[in-house]
Amino acid sequence: ITPNRADLFSMNGTAWEVAAILEEQPTLPSFELVESDTQTADLLTAEAPGELAPKYALRVVQGVKVQDSPLWLQKRLWNMGIRPISNVVDVTNYMLLQYGQPLHAFDYDKLPAHDIKVRHAYADEKIVTLDGQERVTNPQDIVIAAGNEGLMFAGVMGGASTEVTTDTVNIVLEGAVFEPRAIRHTARDQNLHSEASTRFERGVNVEDTFTALDHAAALIAELAGGTVAAGRVVAQDFTYVAPVVEVTVDQINHVLGTVITVAEVAAIFDRLFFDYVETNGKFTVTIPARRWDITISADLIEEVARLYGYDNLPATLPTGATTPGKLTVKQALIRASRHTLEGLGLDQAISYVLTTPAKAARFALHAGHPIQLDYPMSQDRQQTRVSLLTGLLDDVAYNVARKQSDIALYEQGRVFVSDGDTTQRPAEIEHLAGVIAGNWLPKTWATPAKKADFFVLKGVVEQLLANYALAQSVRFEANGAREDMHPGRTADIYVGETLIGFIGQIHPLTAKEYGIGETYGFELNLAAILSLPKNKTNYEAISKFPAIARDLAILVTADTTAAAVRETIITAGGQHLHDVTLFDVYSGTNVAAGMKSLAYALTFVDPEKTLVDDEINAAVAKIEQKLAENHHAEIR
């Protein structure tokens, strides 16, 4: 049942609906209420503020004998999924099903006082509900109290202190309409969703509230042998004013694309038992209380469409100018990123956005805080993620637990970062992350297995960034300060001076916490990458002239990075330097302590002519000079 059709939470409401479909007249239940000479007003009082309970009344039934219900009533409740308890409680549940009106029965003699009040709960009141749990109230909860003692959560669940048992002799019946938002708050605050709260949250037929109360009193007197005290004690009541909604046949046909006549529309409103006045194709419809979901003309059009038959509505193609579909720059970048990573051997993963507080703060690229949910689904889903790596590590752990140790995954999605201002929405930032573990390449008859390591993942990231055609150069800078990352195998990724992400090995202690082995991961800020300047991608013909290769071996201090040396070579190498590849790193015999030897293969190409030795020698000499100036390198 959709939330707008709460009238179908009752047999009476369903009867009206079926009658309209079958073009029949519904027959609703009737009852005869016999009252004693005792006045209900002499037995108790009631008080309820209108903003909490717009309708509130009580009845008293005296001298009842609580026992099992007759078989016909038990069978009806069983068929509706409700467990029979006793004749008194079963009658209240029967009225719930019949009218969609929740009722509650108190043991009159267990009340701490006979002044029933509807009020907001005090902070930290303790109420034991009918399910046997002790619950602590919130000041926004609504409770029913007597003698200032909270008895139950209004409209949600009764309290054990006034529960009807086989010893009960006198009962108080409560019939009310409670403020829906307050009931919703109480149900969520107490994590206590009941048949009653389901109906009160969505609305009830206000004209049936006291009718259901009287019917329940009459039926209890019949089944439990009691007498009904005369009259109701009414704390709040109001007269239902039926809303009037207008709709024209032209409106109906325009929205539905039909040619329904005035007579057909009138026949549909007759089947719904709506009172109306029709003037020149304009219907002024008076909405009964049982259909509180109808408030505007569109609601009436929906009623006409339902009973006219959706299958009878004409099927037409859209009209008007069409535009070709096109990806935005952001969408194209994201899609290209996925294609690149999948082409490089990674599989896409989709992880939960919500995680635990401990995991939510890990691997953060941005200053800020994760968002705490007021009503989390579970303890494992309390806060929004600030990094995609946390979810990917959960995926790795899931696979490792199932004996899948060779893993290569990536995820593209948003992270959520707040500056701590709860009145503002958090920033939603597009990220891209990946992890690898186990063997990158499997063992074959001709080649050994290749383990996943830092440089394998670095190659994946370099190719991904190369495909973005970024105008500024990309560099990797060692960073041993990132928590949860290996201090000696982690680097920040910069484009120019902009930090766009990081790459490295997951810290062994963090990996142990997840129950996984040696794992490498990266995370990129796609939003930052999208904002960076980019080169246009142009086709470049392969040179017809031969390339010239030179090897260059240098001696540098052990803390000099190969990336810094390569950057110097590229900067000084001139326009004909086509490729720089590090092919050897050596330290040990014949190399001074604290030093290392780096060997690079340099490739020079001129697409216009064949290069000569003098040009190459000049370029190499300039490179050697810059290496000596920038890194105090010795040429070997």
Side-chain angles (χ1 to χ4, degrees), residues 275-598:
D275 293 332
Y276 63 86
V277 176
E278 184 270 321
T279 306
N280 298 325
K282 178 181 179 180
F283 286 85
T284 303
V285 184
T286 302
I287 308 301
R290 58 183 167 81
R291 290 301 305 273
W292 60 92
D293 59 300
I294 298 177
T295 57
I296 58 177
S297 59
D299 296 326
L300 289 177
I301 295 173
E302 180 184 0
E303 295 301 301
V304 172
R306 287 195 310 109
L307 294 182
Y308 182 72
Y310 292 133
D311 290 342
N312 296 324
L313 300 181
T316 59
L317 293 173
T319 58
T322 60
T323 56
K326 182 181 179 181
L327 296 177
T328 65
V329 174
K330 177 180 177 181
Q331 291 170 332
L333 178 76
I334 290 173
R335 185 169 295 186
S337 302
R338 293 173 179 170
H339 291 170
T340 299
L341 291 174
E342 288 167 9
L344 291 169
L346 279 72
D347 295 316
Q348 185 178 18
I350 300 176
S351 305
Y352 283 105
V353 172
L354 303 175
T355 184
T356 64
K359 293 179 181 178
R362 288 176 172 167
F363 309 110
L365 259 177
H366 310 276
H369 312 279
I371 310 301
Q372 175 70 40
L373 270 65
D374 288 337
Y375 300 101
M377 295 184 294
S378 67
Q379 293 298 313
D380 294 335
R381 305 282 178 252
Q382 295 186 51
Q383 292 186 355
T384 57
R385 64 189 180 190
V386 297
S387 166
L388 301 183
L389 272 178
T390 54
L392 285 173
L393 293 181
D394 283 332
D395 298 337
V396 173
Y398 182 90
N399 281 274
V400 168
R402 287 154 181 79
K403 306 302 181 183
Q404 301 297 319
S405 57
D406 300 337
I407 301 164
L409 300 173
Y410 80 91
E411 180 171 6
Q412 178 274 316
R414 294 179 182 178
V415 300
F416 303 83
V417 182
S418 170
D419 60 3
D421 186 353
T422 57
T423 64
Q424 299 295 322
R425 294 183 60 185
E428 300 184 23
I429 307 170
E430 292 287 351
H431 272 214
L432 180 66
V435 291
I436 58 174
N439 289 330
W440 176 251
L441 295 176
K443 177 182 177 181
T444 69
W445 66 274
T447 58
K450 179 176 178 56
K451 286 185 63 65
D453 60 22
F454 177 90
F455 295 103
V456 168
L457 190 61
K458 182 171 180 283
V460 170
V461 174
E462 286 178 329
Q463 183 59 60
L464 177 66
L465 296 176
N467 287 3
Y468 292 146
L470 298 167
Q472 298 171 299
S473 62
V474 177
R475 72 179 191 277
F476 296 78
E477 289 189 2
N479 183 354
R482 286 194 175 275
E483 293 186 20
D484 298 304
M485 297 297 291
H486 193 299
R489 298 180 181 179
T490 300
D492 288 339
I493 306 172
Y494 287 87
V495 176
E497 299 303 318
T498 304
L499 175 66
I500 63 165
F502 62 89
I503 181 175
Q505 181 182 342
I506 307 302
H507 197 289
L509 294 179
T510 303
K512 183 179 180 181
E513 182 182 331
Y514 278 89
I516 59 180
E518 187 175 310
T519 304
Y520 297 84
F522 74 87
E523 181 142 358
L524 300 176
N525 182 348
L526 273 185
I529 293 173
L530 186 65
S531 65
L532 293 171
K534 298 175 180 61
N535 293 321
K536 290 185 177 180
T537 303
N538 297 316
Y539 169 74
E540 184 177 313
I542 297 175
S543 175
K544 297 179 291 184
F545 300 95
I548 297 178
R550 291 287 179 89
D551 290 345
L552 179 64
I554 60 174
L555 197 64
V556 294
T557 57
D559 59 354
T560 301
T561 63
V565 173
R566 185 176 186 275
E567 185 68 23
T568 299
I569 294 173
I570 292 173
T571 303
Q575 62 177 335
H576 300 320
L577 180 60
H578 182 70
D579 184 63
V580 179
T581 302
L582 175 69
F583 67 86
D584 185 59
V585 179
Y586 175 75
S587 60
T589 305
N590 299 326
V591 174
M595 306 293 285
K596 64 182 176 182
S597 173
L598 303 178

Side-chain angles (χ1 to χ4, degrees), residues 51-225:
E51 65 273 14
L52 298 183
K55 292 177 80 80
Y56 192 85
L58 302 171
R59 272 196 175 275
V60 175
V61 184
Q62 298 175 302
V64 300
K65 182 179 181 181
V66 180
Q67 56 188 357
D68 290 341
S69 299
L71 187 58
W72 68 266
L73 179 53
Q74 292 191 44
K75 288 174 63 177
R76 290 194 180 187
L77 294 179
W78 276 121
N79 288 338
M80 294 298 292
I82 295 179
R83 178 174 59 88
I85 298 174
S86 67
N87 47 9
V88 172
V89 177
D90 292 352
V91 167
T92 62
N93 287 332
Y94 186 48
M95 294 299 102
L96 172 84
L97 299 175
Q98 185 70 56
Y99 293 93
Q101 172 64 53
L103 303 173
H104 185 69
F106 302 90
D107 187 321
Y108 177 85
D109 300 307
K110 292 180 182 178
L111 293 172
H114 295 145
D115 56 337
I116 306 296
K117 294 181 180 179
V118 181
R119 61 168 171 82
H120 279 299
Y122 303 136
D124 299 329
E125 284 187 87
K126 293 182 179 179
I127 298 177
V128 179
T129 47
L130 290 173
D131 58 2
Q133 293 191 34
E134 182 180 79
R135 302 177 186 273
V136 180
T137 62
N138 182 295
Q140 293 180 319
D141 296 337
I142 304 178
V143 298
I144 307 299
N148 215 31
E149 177 185 333
L151 304 178
M152 63 174 285
F153 291 99
V156 179
M157 183 173 286
S161 63
T162 56
E163 180 181 7
V164 173
T165 66
T166 53
D167 297 326
T168 299
V169 177
N170 303 306
I171 64 168
V172 179
L173 285 176
E174 171 197 78
V177 174
F178 294 109
E179 206 283 317
R181 286 172 296 184
I183 299 300
R184 173 70 169 166
H185 178 275
T186 301
R188 294 197 63 180
D189 177 58
Q190 298 296 332
N191 192 23
L192 187 60
H193 298 277
S194 62
E195 293 284 349
S197 67
T198 297
R199 287 162 174 79
F200 278 131
E201 289 172 18
R202 292 161 177 78
V204 296
N205 184 348
V206 296
E207 288 196 328
D208 276 351
T209 300
F210 293 164
T211 302
L213 180 63
D214 292 346
H215 193 167
L219 194 53
I220 288 174
E222 177 185 341
L223 300 182

Side-chain angles (χ1 to χ4, degrees), residues 20 24-25 263-276:
E24 298 285 351
Q25 173 73 41
E264 289 175 311
V265 174
I268 289 173
F269 288 153
D270 287 336
R271 290 164 59 183
L272 291 166
F273 300 95
F274 289 175
D275 293 332
Y276 63 86

